[in-house]
Amino acid sequence: MKWRVTWVFWAIMALHVAAVLIFTRGFLLTRTELPFHSSCSDVSDSPCFSRSGAAGSNGTGGSERCWTKPAVDRVVIIVLDALRFDFVAPSAFFKETKPWMDRLPVLQKLAFKEGSSAKIFKAIADPPTTSLQRLKGLTTGGLPTFVDVGNSFGAPAITEDNLINQLIRNGKRVLMMGDDTWVQLFPHHFKRSYPFPSFNVKDLHTVDNGCIDNLLPSLYQEDWEVLIAHFLGVDHAGHIFGVDSLPMIEKLEQYNTVLENVISVLESQSGPGGLHENTFLLVLGDHGQTLNGDHGGGSAEEVETSIFAMSFKKPLSAIPAELGISCEYASDERFCISSIEQLDFAVTVSALLGIPFPFGSIGRVNPELYALAAGTWNMEKLKSDNPEYHFKSAEWLHNYANVLCINAWQVKRYIDIYSASSLIGFSSDDLLHVANLYDEAEAIFARKRDNFSSKSELSRLSTLKSQIDAYLKFLGSVAELARSKWTEFNLTFMGIGLGMMLLSLLVHVLAIKMVNELHNGSFNPIGSSGISFGLIFAFFIVAIRACSLLSNSYILEEGKVANFLLATAGVAKFRYSIMKRKRIFEAGLFLILICLLRFTIEIGLSKQAATSAFLHSSTSWMIGIDFNHPVLVYILQLLPMLALIGLAHLLHKSTADGCSQRICRFVVMGTIASYVLIVVYWASESNMLGLALINTARNVIPRIIYAIGIGQMLLLAFGQLFNGSKVVDHRSLFSKTVSMLSAWSPTVIILSGRQGPLIALASIVGGFCIVMLQNIEEESDGTAKPLVVNPLSVMEWSLLALSMFFCTGHWCAFDGLRYGAAFIGFDEFVLIRQAILLTIETFGFSHIIPVFGLPFLVLRHKLFAQKDLFVQLSLAYMMFGLIMAATVTVTILCVMIQRRHLMVWGLFAPKFVFDVAGLVLTDVLICLASLYYFCQPEDLKLETNTGGR
C-alpha cells in the first residue's frame, strides 16, 4: 500500500515536469538568432548607396568610410549599474527632493551649462531589467526575450551580431574593465580586459576599485578606440541597503569624483592634435532600480535610467529646429531633458564610429545623440538669422537623412530575412504594413530627388523633414511591432502542456478516490454518502482564487486576494465556533493573525512600489515614528531574538511532551544550538553586545548552521532507512514531523533575516488554529465518526502558506527575490550553492515548512487506527498537491490566453515562472515527505498477507 500511494506522487511529479517543460518550450521560446553579420560591402545593395556615396566603388568604402562617415575617433563608455534617472537629473525635475538626488553635480553642471557640449537623456529600457538582458539589448540593438533572464547568473556568449563584434571586425580595439559579465558575453573580443567578480552583492567596492585603478591610467594610452568601464557599487548598495541609505549616497559621491577626474583627463588632451581631440564620452545606466534596490520588472523606476553624452569638440549649435525634438522641462523651466530608447544605443554608436550596424538591430540613429558628436555638426558662430545657417542645417539634415536611409534599409533587410528564416516570424499583415511604410519613405525621396538641387534652402529643409519623418515612422513602427509580437509562441506545445496539466488534475482526483475507497469513507463526517460543507466551501474558495489569476490587477494584488480568502474561511470557522460554543479562542486568534498578516503584506507591497496606496494612506502615523530612536532600534533588534527564544521553548516542550524517538531529541538539541548561533550572528551585526566579528568569522556562523542542518537531515534519513518498517502511530508521526521542521527552521530563519522568527511564530499560530478548528462545522455531540481529513482545512493550510510568501516581502517578479540572502555565510559566487540558498529563502515559509508540517492536520484526531492514519496522511498530501496543481493550471491557461497582452513579459511571464517553480518544488517535497512519513501500517500488512494467502 505504501508504495502504491508513493508511486502516485512520483508519477504526478513526472507528469508536471513534462507538462511544464513542453509548455515552456512553446511559451518561452528564445527569439530566433540569425547567424548573419553586417559588413561594409552590404551597403552597396541598399537603395541609399548611390545617394549617399556611403561606400567606394569596391563596396568597402576604403579606410575612412564604411556605412557612414566616422564622426568620432574614440568612445569612452562608463556603465553605472542600476543608475536611476533621479540619480542624474536635477532635483528640480521631481515634485519632492530626496537625499540621493543631485549627488552627481559634475554631470548636471556640464549638461546645462550654456554652450555646453554635453547633454543628459532619460533612457528607457525594455523589461525585464536584469543586467544580462540590458547588456545584450545595448550591444545588439534588439529585444532579448524573457527566457534570457534565467541566464543572468551564468551569462552565455552572445552569438548574434552585435556592437562589440562589429568593432572587432572593423579593426577597432576595445578595452574593458569592471563587471565580468562582459567577458562572459564577449569572450576573446577585448584587446585588454580587467574583469572582476560581479555576483557578491555584499561587496560594494571590489569591482569599482578595480575600475578606478585601471580607468585613469588607460585614458593616457593609445592602444584602444573604445573603452568600457562597468561599475557595480550602486547596484549592490541598492540590493543590500536600498536607495535611501548612506552607502548609496557615498557611492554616488564617489562616482562624481571619478567622473570629474575622467572628464578632466579627457579635456586636458582634447586640444588640436591631442589624444582625445575627437573623443566621445558616454555615461549610462543599464537599468534603474526600485527604492528597495530591486530590479528585473517593468515599473517606471526600473526601466528609466539615464545617458550622459559629451563631445570634447565644441558643438556649434543646437540640433536643427526642423526636427521638432521634444523634451521634458523641469518645474522652473530651466532644464530640459529628452528621452532616448536603449534600443537606439547600438546603432547610434555604430553610426558615430562609422562601422556597420548590427545585423539584428531594430533601433534608430538618435538625432540628438548623433548631432552631439562634433564630426556631424559644424555651425560655429552661425546664428539662426544667418543665411548660411539654413544651408548648414540642410547639409546636416541631408547627411542625417542618408544615415536614416541606411538605418531603415538595414532594419527592413533584417525583418525580411527573419520572417523568411524563422518558423513563424511576423504575420503577412504586419509585413505588408511595414513594407508599405518603407515604400512610402522611399517614394518621398524619389519624388524629390530629381529637382532637389534647384529648390530654395527653406524648401530643402521641408523636403528633408518629410523624408526624415517617414523613415522615423517606419523605424518606430518596426520597434513597436517587435515589442508586441517578438516571441514565437508555439501553440501546439502550449496546448500539449496545458492538456498534460489537466490530465494531472484527473490523476489527482482518481488517486484521492482510490485512497478514500480503501478507507471506506466519505467526505461527510456524519457518515452519509453526501458531500460535506467543507468540500463545497473549499472548492468554492479554490475556484475564486483560480479565476482571479485571469486578471492582471488581481495578480498584482495576489497577496491581498489570498489573505481575503483566508479571512473568509476564518469568518466561517468563527461563526461555527460561536454556534457550537467551541474553540472560540482559537477562531478569534486566527482572525487576529489574518489581520496582522494583511498588514505585513501591505508592508511587502510598499517595498515593491513607491506608489503603494499603503504608503499614502498610512503616512499620517508612519512618518511620525522615528525609526532611528535608540529605544525603538533596540526593540526592533531584540524582538526577533525573543521570538527565537520562544521557538526554542516550544521545541524543548515538544521533546518533553511528544517526542518519543531519541533521534527527535538530538535534532531538537541541534536546532536550539543553531538558534543560539543565530542570536550571536545578529548581535554581531548590530554590535549590541560589542561583538564586532570580522567578515571571515561572521561567515563561519551561517556555515555552521548550514552544516548542523545537513547533519540533522542525514540523521533523519539514516533513521528512516534503518527504522522505516517500524509501525507508524500518532506519537512517532508527531516526532518525525517535529524533527523535520526543526531541521529546516534554522536555515530558513537565518536566510529570511530578522523577520524569520516572527514569521515562524505566525506560521505556528496559524497552523495551530487550523488544526484545532478542523471539522468544527461538522462536529456534533460526539456521534460523528472521525474520517477523511477536511478539504477546507487543507485549503486553509495552502492559503496560509501563500500568505507567508507575500508576508516575507516576496512577490512574483524577479525584483522580488532577495539576492543578498544567497550570500549569507559566503563571499564567493558559486552558481549551485547560491541558487540553493536563494530557493530556500524564497520558498522556505511558503512551501518547505508547510509541506513538511502537513501531518499535523491528521494528528488532531487520535481515534484513528494505524491504517486510517496512513490513509489520512495520503489524502492530506493529495489534496494539497491538487490545490497547487489546479491554481498553476489556471496560471498556464492565463498566460496562454494573455500571450499578446501588453503586460505578458512584465507580469504574466514572471507569475508563470514562479508558479511552476513552486509546483515542481512542492511535488519534490511531497515525494520526499511520502518516503519519510509513510510507513506500512501493521494492520495493513496483516490484510495484505491475508489477501495473499
Side-chain angles (χ1 to χ4, degrees):
M1 175 63 183
K2 169 186 175 180
W3 295 113
R4 287 177 61 187
V5 174
T6 303
W7 175 86
V8 171
F9 291 128
W10 288 90
I12 290 174
M13 182 182 71
L15 194 58
H16 284 165
V17 171
V20 167
L21 291 177
I22 293 174
F23 185 89
T24 302
R25 177 80 180 275
F27 178 60
L28 295 182
L29 281 178
T30 303
R31 168 177 56 88
T32 302
E33 295 184 353
L34 302 183
F36 307 110
H37 296 79
S38 298
S39 62
C40 286
S41 60
D42 293 346
V43 75
S44 61
D45 299 327
S46 76
C48 319
F49 175 69
S50 60
R51 306 173 194 164
S52 62
S57 59
N58 61 357
T60 62
S63 59
E64 294 186 356
R65 199 174 187 126
C66 185
W67 284 21
T68 61
K69 181 180 178 180
V72 298
D73 298 329
R74 310 181 102 193
V75 176
V76 176
I77 301 174
I78 298 178
V79 181
L80 306 181
D81 209 288
L83 185 72
R84 286 169 58 101
F85 176 61
D86 56 6
F87 287 168
V88 179
S91 57
F93 271 88
F94 308 97
K95 295 180 179 179
E96 185 178 356
T97 302
K98 298 294 184 180
W100 59 83
M101 295 179 181
D102 300 325
R103 300 290 176 175
L104 297 172
V106 62
L107 302 184
Q108 298 176 8
K109 177 182 176 181
L110 291 169
F112 301 111
K113 181 180 178 181
E114 185 176 356
S116 172
S117 58
K119 188 172 181 62
I120 289 175
F121 298 86
K122 176 193 285 188
I124 309 299
D126 288 290
T129 47
T130 57
S131 292
L132 167 64
Q133 286 217 326
R134 288 299 84 233
L135 293 182
K136 190 170 184 179
L138 283 167
T139 54
T140 63
L143 297 172
T145 48
F146 181 87
V147 74
D148 292 328
V149 171
N151 294 321
S152 287
F153 288 102
I158 296 178
T159 56
E160 64 179 324
D161 199 10
N162 57 79
L163 175 62
I164 306 299
N165 175 67
Q166 285 297 333
L167 290 170
I168 303 305
R169 288 166 64 97
N170 289 275
K172 305 294 185 182
R173 297 164 296 178
V174 184
L175 170 62
M176 193 286 303
M177 60 195 68
D179 187 348
D180 61 354
T181 303
W182 286 88
V183 295
Q184 298 174 42
L185 293 174
F186 309 103
H188 315 299
H189 280 65
F190 301 112
K191 176 73 174 179
R192 284 187 291 121
S193 62
Y194 304 97
F196 299 91
S198 58
F199 283 111
N200 182 6
V201 294
K202 294 187 294 183
D203 184 357
L204 275 59
H205 306 295
T206 298
V207 176
D208 289 357
N209 291 341
C211 286
I212 294 170
D213 293 341
N214 293 283
L215 177 55
L216 293 178
S218 298
L219 294 178
Y220 294 97
Q221 299 172 2
E222 301 181 7
D223 61 344
W224 57 268
E225 279 75 41
V226 176
L227 185 152
I228 301 171
H230 191 144
F231 291 76
L232 275 178
V234 161
D235 179 72
H236 289 183
H239 282 305
I240 300 300
F241 303 103
V243 171
D244 192 3
S245 64
L246 182 60
M248 178 65 75
I249 293 174
E250 291 175 345
K251 266 294 160 190
L252 291 173
E253 291 175 344
Q254 180 190 28
Y255 287 176
N256 187 70
T257 303
V258 172
L259 292 173
E260 283 181 337
N261 295 334
V262 168
I263 293 170
S264 176
V265 171
L266 294 177
E267 285 183 329
S268 68
Q269 301 187 57
S270 62
L275 183 60
H276 297 296
E277 178 185 5
N278 196 19
T279 295
F280 199 57
L281 172 65
L282 291 167
V283 180
L284 65 141
D286 53 348
H287 51 74
Q289 58 178 303
T290 65
L291 293 179
N292 200 40
D294 299 315
H295 58 87
S299 68
E301 291 180 303
E302 296 165 276
V303 301
E304 291 180 359
T305 180
S306 185
I307 292 179
F308 169 86
M310 181 177 181
S311 172
F312 290 88
K313 276 188 176 180
K314 294 180 180 179
L316 317 164
S317 179
I319 192 169
E322 287 75 13
L323 283 180
I325 300 297
S326 61
C327 61
E328 178 182 352
Y329 280 93
S331 57
D332 56 7
E333 297 190 356
R334 288 187 303 157
F335 311 116
C336 180
I337 294 181
S338 303
S339 294
I340 181 174
E341 300 283 345
Q342 277 195 353
L343 198 65
D344 304 337
F345 179 82
V347 67
T348 304
V349 174
S350 297
L352 291 175
L353 286 168
I355 61 176
F357 306 160
F359 186 88
S361 171
I362 57 173
R364 65 168 188 167
V365 178
N366 182 271
E368 290 185 276
L369 194 58
Y370 185 67
L372 199 61
T376 68
W377 196 220
N378 188 13
M379 294 181 63
E380 187 172 9
K381 297 180 181 179
L382 292 182
K383 305 297 182 182
S384 59
D385 57 351
N386 190 315
E388 194 177 354
Y389 172 86
H390 297 293
F391 174 78
K392 289 293 185 180
S393 293
E395 184 181 25
W396 187 89
L397 288 174
H398 187 266
N399 177 58
Y400 181 60
N402 288 330
V403 172
L404 282 184
C405 177
I406 297 173
N407 190 181
W409 164 79
Q410 168 262 320
V411 171
K412 180 65 165 55
R413 177 186 66 167
Y414 171 67
I415 293 298
D416 290 342
I417 295 178
Y418 179 85
S419 297
S421 305
S422 178
L423 293 176
I424 299 177
F426 298 103
S427 68
S428 56
D429 292 339
D430 293 330
L431 290 175
L432 180 62
H433 175 66
V434 167
N436 288 337
L437 290 177
Y438 183 74
D439 292 341
E440 179 182 342
E442 288 297 300
I444 291 175
F445 194 92
R447 289 196 303 267
K448 306 295 182 181
R449 179 175 50 187
D450 297 335
N451 56 357
F452 182 77
S453 59
S454 62
K455 290 188 175 184
S456 65
E457 297 301 336
L458 292 177
S459 297
R460 290 183 183 182
L461 289 175
S462 177
T463 299
L464 291 169
K465 176 67 166 57
S466 300
Q467 177 68 43
I468 289 171
D469 286 344
Y471 280 133
L472 292 179
K473 182 180 179 181
F474 163 75
L475 293 168
S477 178
V478 171
E480 289 304 313
L481 175 64
R483 285 191 177 96
S484 63
K485 299 186 177 181
W486 196 250
T487 303
E488 299 177 0
F489 298 111
N490 190 318
L491 294 180
T492 302
F493 282 135
M494 295 173 73
I496 293 174
L498 178 60
M500 294 180 69
M501 286 300 301
L502 293 173
L503 178 62
S504 75
L505 299 183
L506 179 61
V507 173
H508 265 112
V509 173
L510 294 177
I512 292 174
K513 186 174 181 296
M514 175 193 72
V515 176
N516 188 42
E517 288 176 350
L518 289 173
H519 180 54
N520 294 322
S522 72
F523 287 100
N524 194 325
I526 60 175
S528 68
S529 59
I531 299 177
S532 70
F533 167 80
L535 178 60
I536 297 174
F537 194 38
F539 177 81
F540 178 71
I541 294 293
V542 172
I544 290 178
R545 181 178 173 238
C547 291
S548 71
L549 298 177
L550 297 172
S551 167
N552 62 317
S553 299
Y554 280 98
I555 292 178
L556 286 170
E557 305 290 349
E558 186 179 7
K560 297 180 183 178
V561 173
N563 184 266
F564 172 79
L565 295 176
L566 186 61
T568 302
V571 170
K573 295 282 189 178
F574 188 70
R575 174 178 176 270
Y576 279 108
S577 67
I578 293 178
M579 290 173 56
K580 307 214 172 185
R581 298 181 181 179
K582 294 180 179 179
R583 306 295 179 186
I584 296 178
F585 172 77
E586 288 85 350
L589 180 63
F590 191 49
L591 289 178
I592 293 173
L593 176 66
I594 293 172
C595 293
L596 293 175
L597 294 181
R598 178 72 164 80
F599 176 78
T600 56
I601 289 173
E602 286 283 9
I603 294 177
L605 290 175
S606 71
K607 297 177 181 178
Q608 179 180 3
T611 56
S612 170
F614 172 75
L615 291 181
H616 294 289
S617 62
S618 306
T619 50
S620 58
W621 61 269
M622 286 193 69
I623 291 179
I625 299 176
D626 181 11
F627 289 97
N628 293 320
H629 193 280
V631 176
L632 186 57
V633 169
Y634 273 96
I635 290 175
L636 294 177
Q637 291 178 350
L638 284 174
L639 194 58
M641 301 180 189
L642 294 175
L644 270 179
I645 294 174
L647 290 174
H649 172 72
L650 290 176
L651 283 178
H652 177 72
K653 191 172 184 298
S654 70
T655 60
D657 296 343
C659 281
S660 58
Q661 299 179 356
R662 182 178 300 177
I663 291 180
C664 176
R665 299 179 186 273
F666 285 133
V667 171
V668 169
M669 289 173 58
T671 299
I672 293 175
S674 295
Y675 287 167
V676 173
L677 290 174
I678 294 176
V679 171
V680 174
Y681 178 74
W682 287 343
S684 67
E685 282 190 330
S686 60
N687 292 326
M688 288 181 57
L689 304 177
L691 300 176
L693 300 179
I694 61 175
N695 192 53
T696 305
R698 187 173 292 135
N699 286 339
V700 170
I701 294 179
R703 295 181 186 182
I704 294 175
I705 293 172
Y706 302 152
I708 291 175
I710 294 173
Q712 291 171 318
M713 296 293 180
L714 292 175
L715 184 62
L716 293 174
F718 282 117
Q720 176 67 13
L721 183 63
F722 294 110
N723 297 310
S725 60
K726 186 176 179 180
V727 177
V728 64
D729 57 18
H730 289 80
R731 195 172 183 84
S732 63
L733 183 58
F734 178 82
S735 297
K736 282 187 170 187
T737 307
V738 171
S739 299
M740 181 59 70
L741 295 179
S742 299
W744 275 104
S745 64
T747 300
V748 174
I749 287 173
I750 193 172
L751 292 176
S752 299
R754 295 177 186 274
Q755 64 179 349
L758 302 175
I759 298 296
L761 282 178
S763 301
I764 292 173
V765 172
F768 169 77
C769 293
I770 292 173
V771 169
M772 299 306 294
L773 294 171
Q774 187 177 195
N775 287 328
I776 190 171
E777 68 275 9
E778 310 287 2
E779 286 183 359
S780 59
D781 297 330
T783 58
K785 65 175 185 178
L787 71 159
V788 176
V789 63
N790 194 336
L792 181 57
S793 298
V794 179
M795 184 275 301
E796 289 177 313
W797 197 273
S798 175
L799 287 178
L800 179 65
L802 181 63
S803 297
M804 292 303 165
F805 177 80
F806 293 96
C807 286
T808 50
H810 297 102
W811 53 90
C812 293
F814 292 100
D815 56 350
L817 296 172
R818 294 181 61 246
Y819 296 104
F823 293 91
I824 294 178
F826 301 95
D827 292 328
E828 309 82 16
F829 176 77
V830 177
L831 178 61
I832 296 178
R833 181 182 65 198
Q834 264 57 60
I836 291 174
L837 293 178
L838 187 60
T839 300
I840 294 174
E841 191 280 328
T842 304
F843 297 110
F845 284 114
S846 60
H847 291 72
I848 298 174
I849 299 299
V851 168
F852 285 118
L854 201 58
F856 284 125
L857 280 180
V858 304
L859 291 173
R860 170 72 175 88
H861 301 286
K862 296 187 178 180
L863 301 176
F864 294 135
Q866 292 170 10
K867 173 187 172 183
D868 292 334
L869 183 62
F870 172 76
V871 172
Q872 288 274 322
L873 190 57
S874 303
L875 285 172
Y877 276 111
M878 288 179 179
M879 290 179 189
F880 188 85
L882 176 60
I883 292 171
M884 176 68 73
T887 54
V888 174
T889 300
V890 176
T891 298
I892 290 177
L893 176 63
C894 172
V895 297
M896 188 173 182
I897 295 173
Q898 307 282 15
R899 64 187 182 277
R900 295 300 182 190
H901 193 280
L902 180 65
M903 299 283 290
V904 63
W905 303 124
L907 179 65
F908 294 108
K911 170 64 178 169
F912 165 77
V913 171
F914 274 78
D915 275 11
V916 298
L919 174 66
V920 173
L921 178 62
T922 299
D923 287 338
V924 171
L925 293 174
I926 288 177
C927 290
L928 295 177
S930 68
L931 295 176
Y932 176 68
Y933 289 128
F934 291 3
C935 295
Q936 186 82 338
E938 200 170 63
D939 53 354
L940 200 59
K941 288 182 183 179
L942 215 53
E943 290 182 13
T944 304
N945 293 336
T946 303
R949 293 193 184 101

